[in-house]
Amino acid sequence: MILVFFEQRILPILTNSCYECHSSASQKLKGGLHVDTREGLLKGGDTGPAVVPGKLTESLLIRAVRYEDEEFQMPTKNKKLSAAAIADLEKWVAMGAPDPRVGAPARPAVADLESARQLWTYRKPSAPKLPKVKNSAWVQGGIDRFILEKLEAKNLRPSAPADKRTLLRGATFDLTGLPPTPEEAAMFLADGSPMAFNTVIDRLLASPHYGEHWGRHWLDVVRYTDSFDARGIGGGGDVPEAYRYRDWVVGAFNEDLPYDQFVMNRSLVLHPTH
């Protein structure tokens, strides 16, 4: 919990208010002070150690953010930290200034436009040359060749094919997050056609549960919530209209909406999910 306090309360202060002038990324380092590593804070700059763990009065960082000295104030230019931020820094120093940032700070990568253009994300898709494999009888599609090439390079063989019940269960959990129903299992087991599994995949992709299952991953990324009140719904922290975005995301997945349109959140008419 101590390091959580640093990550959530202290690091944002240092990053937003101090790194511009006191980090390895600074265009002009001021006072010889680095605050982007624990070593830099303990060593300090031209005036001595910025932080003395457990000792507020001896920590120049605390004196600077308190504005105790007119000639020694950080941040400068009348950007004094809030009382809450200063209190967090004081609490942090008092608890021993825990800081996991050990070693040299990570330096920002230098932008190289030509190298960036070579990334696969910015290049027109093209069909790769299919690798040669020994057990070509196992191959059922182009992707299989790439998988088998790696296996054979390590003298490994593919696993035996899954039985139909296992195959159905795995595919259904993967695409919808739910187990297959007894009726779905019976239908698949009774279907002896070579396209039986393709029919299952098409059915699962068309299920509204597909969007519900995979849409939640995007909602996690954007930190979706319908209530900021941990005690439950019905409180002042509710976000009563949030469900509209949730349903839009689920519908976008179910409609196979192209990514460029999805991230622009266009006002498209999608089938309701509930």
Side-chain angles (χ1 to χ4, degrees):
M1 291 300 294
I2 292 178
L3 292 182
V4 171
F5 178 80
F6 172 81
E7 295 287 349
Q8 295 182 352
R9 307 289 285 275
I10 303 304
L11 186 57
I13 298 174
L14 299 177
T15 302
N16 298 328
S17 302
C18 307
Y19 274 22
E20 182 179 355
C21 301
H22 301 287
S23 73
S24 57
S26 302
Q27 293 185 351
K28 184 178 180 181
L29 185 69
K30 294 186 178 181
L33 173 63
H34 285 86
V35 302
D36 48 352
T37 64
R38 176 175 171 79
E39 291 83 352
L41 284 167
L42 297 180
K43 179 181 178 181
D46 300 339
T47 55
V51 170
V52 180
K55 299 181 179 180
L56 294 178
T57 57
E58 298 180 27
S59 297
L60 295 179
L61 176 66
I62 300 302
R63 287 180 51 197
V65 298
R66 286 174 172 173
Y67 279 33
E68 292 181 350
D69 188 336
E70 291 184 2
E71 302 298 325
F72 192 58
Q73 299 177 345
M74 292 193 302
T76 56
K77 299 179 181 179
N78 299 319
K79 296 181 180 179
K80 185 177 181 180
L81 298 177
S82 66
I86 295 174
D88 283 340
L89 287 170
E90 292 172 343
K91 180 179 179 180
W92 173 63
V93 172
M95 66 172 60
D99 187 344
R101 302 171 304 156
V102 178
R107 294 185 176 275
V110 178
D112 184 341
L113 187 58
E114 288 304 317
S115 296
R117 284 176 174 152
Q118 301 307 312
L119 292 174
W120 69 269
T121 48
Y122 300 112
R123 300 175 66 181
K124 185 178 180 179
S126 60
K129 183 179 180 180
L130 298 179
K132 295 182 179 180
V133 295
K134 299 175 183 177
N135 186 15
S136 57
W138 181 82
V139 175
Q140 297 185 27
I143 294 178
D144 291 346
R145 287 186 172 273
F146 291 94
I147 297 173
L148 188 57
E149 178 193 29
K150 297 299 183 181
L151 291 173
E152 292 181 343
K154 297 183 179 296
N155 295 318
L156 298 173
R157 291 182 298 177
S159 300
D163 62 83
K164 292 187 71 172
R165 190 179 296 277
T166 300
L167 189 62
L168 174 66
R169 185 175 177 84
T172 308
F173 267 114
D174 185 48
L175 293 179
T176 68
L178 300 168
T181 65
E183 294 76 17
E184 292 168 346
M187 185 182 302
F188 179 53
L189 293 174
D191 188 347
S193 70
M195 298 299 291
F197 189 60
N198 297 61
T199 301
V200 167
I201 297 300
D202 289 340
R203 174 178 59 77
L204 293 173
L205 291 176
S207 168
H209 299 311
Y210 169 77
E212 294 166 356
H213 178 55
W214 284 96
R216 64 179 289 272
H217 296 294
W218 181 263
L219 294 173
D220 286 343
V221 170
V222 298
R223 299 183 180 182
Y224 169 84
T225 184
D226 47 30
S227 178
F228 291 101
D229 188 347
R231 294 169 295 181
I233 59 175
D238 286 357
V239 188
E241 299 298 319
Y243 77 93
R244 298 182 186 277
Y245 179 68
R246 178 202 64 196
D247 288 356
W248 186 88
V249 169
V250 171
F253 273 83
N254 281 331
E255 292 289 332
D256 198 19
L257 191 67
Y259 182 73
D260 60 340
Q261 298 179 32
F262 175 72
V263 294
M264 287 190 290
N265 197 6
R266 290 184 176 179
S267 298
L268 298 178
V269 177
L270 301 172
H271 296 312
T273 59
H274 298 288

